[in-house]
Amino acid sequence: MSPTSHSPAGARKITLMLAAVLLLTLGLASCGSGEDADSGGGQAGSGAGFPVRIEHKYGTAEIKSSPKRVVTVGMTDQDAVLALGVKPVGVVEFPGMGLAVDKFPWSTAKWGGTPPTVVGQRDDYKLEKIAALKPDLIIGLYTGMKKEQYDTLSKLAPTVAPPAQYGDYAMPWKDITLVTGKALGKEAQAKELVAAVDRRFADARTKNPGLAGKTFAVADPFKPGQYAVFGPTDPKVEFVKGLGLTVPDAIAKAAGKEQATVIGSERLDLVDVDRLVFLSSLPDVQKMVGGDKVYAGLKVAKENRAVFVPYNPTGAAVSFGTVLSIPFAIDQMVPLLNNAR
């Protein structure tokens, strides 16, 4: 997982590699769809409002009738589909997650004991497996889908790729939820789900005014002396911003257009902030970071304002950053941030 360089290209490479590990709700009772997913994949809607046309970076997906067999090929796309009461029949899987797709605590109840078929890992889609599921809709929004892949997938079923304005793994959770709602014929329900999560954020800010305006950084210490520091557009950072904290300009500048910048110990001054959040799936990561003499000299370390977040399940919920995982992550992260002082 080590980067090849500290250049933007190197940072992008490590960002995409880390995304698989750091994909880093409570079953979403508070933000639930109000209907249960059925055991056969779930019919997405009554058929009213179809056909639906969705423009994206590779063209236009036309969904002629209510989908019944949905396959998701984006990193976290299944959560928005599940939140809308539909169980995907096929999903992609990501190495290093530690849990099967249907076992995350914020979504496991939605699967109802019926796991989906795994149709590949990350952007390596197994087309024969997807075809065997006979999908009538393929959703690939939080993904690095290439044009050639889209061309092949769209021959199997209407395929919804990300909008043109977003790069790989860059579509925000709100837009993912709303576009998914449109594709499933459940736009009104999708808007309600987004509003419910916004209310959860607002409630957390109101109840925790001590966090307002605090500077923070989110970092992955992926090897001794090496750190991926995530920029303002990364879902993990967006999540903490939603709780009222702020990203220093220096971090935003260092990340630039990338989701993360990779630094060595000599640049740890970037993360000498009010709250430093470490997300990592490595064993003994706190011991590893504590052994970094530069880190030990930081004010944030001396004052015990760093938070080491266990990957399963809290770090994964923060990393997913979906309509289902965010409420769960809020409940877990707020006490950790409050206690880091």
Side-chain angles (χ1 to χ4, degrees):
M1 287 180 59
S2 66
T4 56
S5 72
H6 289 191
S7 66
R12 182 148 187 94
K13 180 176 180 180
I14 189 62
T15 299
L16 294 178
M17 294 175 72
L18 288 168
V21 177
L22 287 176
L23 253 181
L24 266 161
T25 94
L26 67 204
L28 207 59
S30 63
C31 300
S33 66
E35 56 184 300
D36 294 328
D38 64 41
S39 61
Q43 182 167 335
S46 65
F50 288 94
V52 168
R53 292 172 61 85
I54 300 177
E55 294 184 3
H56 52 77
K57 67 170 64 178
Y58 297 134
T60 302
E62 183 172 2
I63 306 162
K64 296 182 178 179
S65 60
S66 178
K68 298 177 177 63
R69 298 185 61 79
V70 180
V71 170
T72 62
V73 294
M75 186 173 287
T76 60
D77 291 351
Q78 68 273 6
D79 274 12
V81 178
L82 285 167
L84 289 161
V86 178
K87 283 190 294 187
V89 294
V91 300
V92 291
E93 186 178 63
F94 299 88
M97 294 295 290
L99 289 172
V101 173
D102 61 317
K103 298 301 182 184
F104 288 104
W106 58 86
S107 61
T108 185
K110 295 286 185 180
W111 290 106
T114 305
T117 297
V118 175
V119 297
Q121 291 190 339
R122 297 193 63 179
D123 295 328
D124 181 18
Y125 316 138
K126 302 304 181 184
L127 297 174
E128 67 281 2
K129 289 188 175 182
I130 297 175
L133 291 173
K134 301 185 185 305
D136 49 18
L137 175 64
I138 299 172
I139 294 178
L141 296 175
Y142 198 76
T143 180
M145 182 192 298
K146 305 306 179 188
K147 179 64 163 59
E148 314 85 76
Q149 292 175 307
Y150 168 78
D151 289 342
T152 302
L153 291 171
S154 62
K155 292 176 182 177
L156 300 177
T159 300
V160 183
Q165 67 264 37
Y166 298 121
D168 293 349
Y169 302 102
M171 191 171 177
W173 71 269
K174 289 186 181 182
D175 290 352
I176 290 174
T177 305
L178 295 174
V179 170
T180 300
K182 183 175 182 180
L184 298 179
K186 297 191 173 190
E187 284 189 272
Q189 187 179 337
K191 290 178 181 178
E192 291 172 1
L193 289 169
V194 169
V197 174
D198 281 342
R199 288 193 296 271
R200 287 297 304 272
F201 271 126
D203 184 59
R205 290 192 297 270
T206 298
K207 292 180 178 178
N208 300 277
L211 296 177
K214 298 292 186 184
T215 59
F216 79 96
V218 179
D220 174 23
F222 59 92
K223 63 183 293 187
Q226 293 282 289
Y227 304 81
V229 181
F230 296 94
T233 62
D234 183 85
K236 297 175 285 297
V237 176
E238 287 284 356
F239 168 81
V240 182
K241 284 166 58 179
L243 297 175
L245 291 84
T246 62
V247 182
D249 291 340
I251 291 178
K253 183 177 179 180
K257 295 182 179 180
E258 305 297 332
Q259 282 186 281
T261 182
V262 176
I263 65 172
S265 298
E266 71 280 359
R267 289 304 321 277
L268 279 173
D269 58 290
L270 274 178
V271 298
D272 202 359
V273 290
D274 294 322
R275 296 291 188 276
L276 176 52
V277 178
F278 285 116
L279 293 177
S280 176
S281 61
L282 297 178
D284 300 322
V285 66
Q286 190 164 355
K287 181 179 180 181
M288 181 183 77
V289 173
D292 188 323
K293 293 182 179 179
V294 177
Y295 168 75
L298 298 179
K299 191 174 181 180
V300 68
K302 292 178 179 178
E303 297 181 0
N304 296 315
R305 289 185 277 103
V307 178
F308 289 84
V309 180
Y311 179 68
N312 280 326
T314 304
V318 173
S319 299
F320 260 63
T322 67
V323 68
L324 281 182
S325 76
I326 287 172
F328 178 91
I330 289 174
D331 290 342
Q332 303 300 311
M333 282 296 298
V334 167
L336 294 176
L337 293 169
N338 278 329
N339 290 335
R341 52 183 165 182

